[in-house]
Amino acid sequence: MAAFLTNDAVVKFVHDELPLGQIIVMRSVFACVLIYAASVATGVHREFRHLAHPTVGWRTLGELGATFFYLVALIHLPIANITAVLQSLPLLVTAAAAIFLGAAVGWRRWTAIGIGFAGVLIIIRPGVSGFNEWSLVALCGVFCMVLRDLSTRRMPQAIPTFGVTLVTCFGVMALGGVMVLFEGWQPMTVRQLGIIAAGSLFLLAGYIFIIIAMRLGDIAVVSPFRYSSILWAILIGYMVWSEVPDALTLFGTSIVVATGVYTFIRERKLAQQGQG
């Protein structure tokens, strides 16, 4: 989460100077070079034949949607606000796991999911004066992230993590290329290239760690740790842009986090009791 938020801050910062599609392309180029070099150095590239599995395609599709919607919303919203919307992801992953993967979710957790989504509505505030339509774009990104995470969970162990990361990077780079056709391309300075390269390092770290966590960890255990991102977002937003979330955003975020933590505790308790 720290890696992803630092990368987000880099994108938001440099977007004042460069088109979003161009940033995505250059960031992906750096990330692809790094991950391929790491794959060759570790010998993982010999296992790339397993990447033809359908779950890799679904995960990549989810990542493309998540990247597009999230970054578009990021450049129009304070970083803490969009991160607050993102906090609904663990609850939605739990709900989707129950609906699509047959995971057992009782009425208590469904209630927590409902209350948590109410917290999201408080953050977004549709129909009131504080409403920002870009929050809905961010929410679309969250739904794409659910597809990404569930697909990651269904991947066979034979599929290499580095390979999945590389496919993701190529897919996102292609997305950026399409955006460049509409936005255009601008000359870049050495400073801008350095900033984007630094962002790609953090993005790569985030990709690798989240894939490892979702594949090897219990999904109910891993997901709540995403909540740490709100702390990073508030800190970065204040230090870089002097952004401070308003009271309703903090209140809604507290509801989402509280229901997510409750869901986590409930799932761990049931697991210890050997129940669904």
Side-chain angles (χ1 to χ4, degrees):
M1 292 301 101
F4 279 134
L5 260 296
T6 303
N7 168 72
D8 291 346
V10 168
V11 172
K12 189 175 179 68
F13 179 79
V14 80
H15 180 262
D16 292 336
E17 306 171 10
L18 296 172
L20 180 58
Q22 184 174 346
I23 297 171
I24 293 174
V25 169
M26 293 307 302
R27 186 186 66 173
S28 300
V29 168
F30 285 121
C32 286
V33 170
L34 291 171
I35 193 62
Y36 185 74
S39 299
V40 173
T42 57
V44 174
H45 65 290
R46 301 186 184 93
E47 304 299 322
F48 281 1
R49 63 184 183 279
H50 298 296
L51 295 174
H53 196 275
T55 53
V56 177
W58 283 110
R59 187 195 185 282
T60 303
L61 180 63
E63 186 66 64
L64 293 181
T67 298
F68 176 77
F69 289 120
Y70 182 76
L71 292 183
V72 168
L74 177 65
I75 63 179
H76 291 93
L77 290 173
I79 194 169
N81 288 50
I82 188 172
T83 305
V85 176
L86 186 63
Q87 303 315 298
S88 64
L89 180 58
L91 291 171
L92 294 178
V93 167
T94 299
I99 296 172
F100 299 108
L101 302 183
V105 176
W107 67 270
R108 294 179 180 85
R109 281 177 288 171
W110 278 117
T111 301
I113 291 170
I115 295 174
F117 199 74
V120 174
L121 293 179
I122 292 175
I123 298 169
I124 296 177
R125 279 165 275 179
V128 299
S129 59
F131 171 66
N132 188 322
E133 63 274 10
W134 295 108
S135 296
L136 297 180
V137 176
L139 191 59
C140 289
V142 174
F143 284 117
C144 291
M145 291 176 190
V146 172
L147 172 61
R148 177 198 65 192
D149 288 355
L150 291 185
S151 300
T152 302
R153 191 64 182 175
R154 300 291 288 181
M155 286 181 184
Q157 290 298 319
I159 299 177
T161 296
F162 278 1
V164 175
T165 307
L166 186 61
V167 170
T168 299
C169 288
F170 273 118
V172 172
M173 181 168 58
L175 171 66
V178 173
M179 294 174 66
V180 165
L181 295 178
F182 296 93
E183 298 176 331
W185 187 277
Q186 295 182 13
M188 289 180 288
T189 65
V190 174
R191 168 184 163 275
Q192 292 169 336
L193 284 172
I195 293 174
I196 295 175
S200 69
L201 287 174
F202 286 104
L203 177 67
L204 181 61
Y207 276 153
I208 292 175
F209 287 135
I210 198 65
I211 291 173
I212 292 174
M214 292 302 297
R215 293 184 67 180
L216 301 182
D218 185 335
I219 195 170
V221 176
V222 172
S223 292
F225 279 89
R226 296 178 185 272
Y227 294 131
S228 63
S229 62
I230 191 63
L231 301 177
W232 292 106
I234 292 175
L235 177 62
I236 293 173
Y238 178 75
M239 293 181 63
V240 180
W241 295 281
S242 299
E243 297 172 347
V244 179
D246 60 28
L248 277 178
T249 298
L250 291 176
F251 177 60
T253 302
S254 299
I255 292 176
V256 176
V257 172
T259 53
V261 171
Y262 169 79
T263 301
F264 163 69
I265 294 174
R266 179 65 182 169
E267 288 173 344
R268 298 315 300 160
K269 181 178 180 180
L270 292 176
Q272 292 172 357
Q273 296 174 350
Q275 300 180 15

